[in-house]
Amino acid sequence: MEQVFTDEYFMKKALQEAETAFEKGEIPVGAVIVVNNQVIARSHNLTEMLNDVTAHAEMQSITAAAHFLGGKYLKECTLYVTLEPCQMCAGALYWSQISKIVFGARDEQRGYLSMGTKLHPKTAVVSGVMAQEAADLMVRFFANRRK
Amino acid sequence: MEQVFTDEYFMKKALQEAETAFEKGEIPVGAVIVVNNQVIARSHNLTEMLNDVTAHAEMQSITAAAHFLGGKYLKECTLYVTLEPCQMCAGALYWSQISKIVFGARDEQRGYLSMGTKLHPKTAVVSGVMAQEAADLMVRFFANRRK
């Protein structure tokens, strides 16, 4: 039987969120949080619209998922995010004790890997899922902005 | 002439916020953000009440200060916080390009210094302001909780 709920399946939903951010003139990053193959939170970057550096896609999804679950720990959850999380978001994910993070494109400059941010020891990480699609959207966004 | 608006003056306001957190059963951390000697944001930890790991005092004050200023950068601002910021909060402060951070007690285990989080190169840091008062409040909180 074909597996429906793959990492690509949920990353496509995160990419749809990133496209919504793109259309709003926001740096195009999207995220969803999944538990038992159900999407319980979806969000996209809103730092410009909200005038708030904390309004990254991941931060919003962490808050929304905790609200849905009625508890602040995301121990059975997976975050799908189109871009590697930054220090702030990785720090929030550390506190959440999330089970798994799946991200798309690397952020060599500001991503948590280059910056050395620690995740929770119980958190598994998968990277590079639909990375090209996520990176293409970023490149297109910054090319438009330079025009 | 005596200087009124010292770091201690504003840290006392952050400590008042921490005491409010204490009374609510929250880990007692408080913060204020100041620009031109005016307090433009004040907050305390609300992670339990909001069921949200992102609801640290600093995060709330960053959002509130940006809202007050009508812009997301806190370039002329000083944050006073009773406890050394964590990875998440230091990461948010990095994005905010805040001018100055004044914190009270060290957090040897989870603070940004031990964790290696990078602040913005333009951000100055002062530590240890009313550290004993901040640390005493934490000790009293955890002693109560163990009872």
Side-chain angles (χ1 to χ4, degrees):
Chain A
M1 206 174 82
E2 198 186 0
Q3 207 191 339
V4 175
F5 297 120
T6 60
D7 283 345
E8 285 72 19
Y9 175 86
F10 291 113
M11 187 59 84
K12 272 184 197 159
K13 299 194 181 298
L15 276 164
Q16 286 166 4
E17 288 293 322
E19 278 162 22
T20 304
F22 182 98
E23 287 157 17
K24 292 179 178 173
E26 300 278 356
I27 294 178
V29 182
V32 299
I33 291 179
V34 174
V35 61
N36 296 329
N37 291 328
Q38 186 194 353
V39 174
I40 62 168
R42 60 175 71 226
S43 56
H44 50 268
N45 178 38
L46 284 174
T47 49
E48 295 302 320
M49 185 179 289
L50 298 179
N51 265 336
D52 186 349
V53 298
T54 77
H56 282 191
E58 300 94 312
M59 301 301 280
Q60 295 175 66
S61 269
I62 291 167
T63 298
H67 184 73
F68 177 87
L69 294 170
K72 66 185 193 293
Y73 297 115
L74 307 180
K75 289 183 189 181
E76 307 300 322
C77 299
T78 301
L79 168 78
Y80 293 86
V81 59
T82 57
L83 186 70
E84 181 189 339
C86 73
Q87 297 189 116
M88 170 181 70
C89 295
L93 291 162
Y94 171 93
W95 289 123
S96 79
Q97 302 184 29
I98 198 162
S99 288
K100 189 176 163 190
I101 299 169
V102 181
F103 71 81
R106 280 291 307 274
D107 181 353
E108 300 281 354
Q109 286 213 306
R110 304 285 185 71
Y112 81 98
L113 291 169
S114 307
M115 298 294 253
T117 316
K118 279 105 191 149
L119 296 176
H120 195 276
K122 288 181 189 157
T123 303
V125 177
V126 175
S127 65
V129 175
M130 302 188 75
Q132 195 59 54
E133 288 83 346
D136 286 350
L137 198 58
M138 293 290 275
V139 168
R140 191 149 55 90
F141 179 81
F142 287 107
N144 274 355
R145 205 152 79 163
R146 272 192 295 272
K147 272 179 199 159
Chain B
M1 204 175 81
E2 198 187 359
Q3 207 192 334
V4 176
F5 298 119
T6 60
D7 282 345
E8 284 72 18
Y9 175 85
F10 291 114
M11 188 59 84
K12 271 183 198 160
K13 299 194 181 298
L15 275 164
Q16 285 166 4
E17 289 292 322
E19 278 162 23
T20 304
F22 182 97
E23 287 157 17
K24 292 179 178 173
E26 300 278 355
I27 294 178
V29 182
V32 300
I33 290 180
V34 174
V35 62
N36 295 328
N37 291 327
Q38 185 193 353
V39 174
I40 62 168
R42 60 175 72 228
S43 55
H44 51 267
N45 178 37
L46 284 174
T47 49
E48 295 303 320
M49 185 179 289
L50 298 179
N51 265 336
D52 186 350
V53 296
T54 76
H56 283 193
E58 300 96 311
M59 300 301 281
Q60 295 174 65
S61 269
I62 291 167
T63 297
H67 184 72
F68 177 88
L69 295 170
K72 66 185 194 291
Y73 297 115
L74 307 180
K75 290 183 188 180
E76 307 300 323
C77 298
T78 300
L79 169 78
Y80 293 85
V81 59
T82 57
L83 186 70
E84 181 189 337
C86 73
Q87 297 189 115
M88 170 181 70
C89 295
L93 291 162
Y94 171 94
W95 289 123
S96 79
Q97 302 185 28
I98 198 162
S99 288
K100 190 176 164 189
I101 299 168
V102 181
F103 71 82
R106 278 292 306 274
D107 182 352
E108 300 281 353
Q109 286 212 306
R110 302 284 184 73
Y112 81 98
L113 291 169
S114 307
M115 298 294 253
T117 316
K118 278 104 190 151
L119 295 176
H120 195 275
K122 288 181 190 157
T123 303
V125 177
V126 175
S127 65
V129 175
M130 303 188 74
Q132 195 60 56
E133 288 83 346
D136 286 351
L137 198 58
M138 293 289 276
V139 168
R140 191 149 55 89
F141 178 81
F142 287 106
N144 275 354
R145 205 152 77 162
R146 272 192 295 272
K147 273 179 199 161

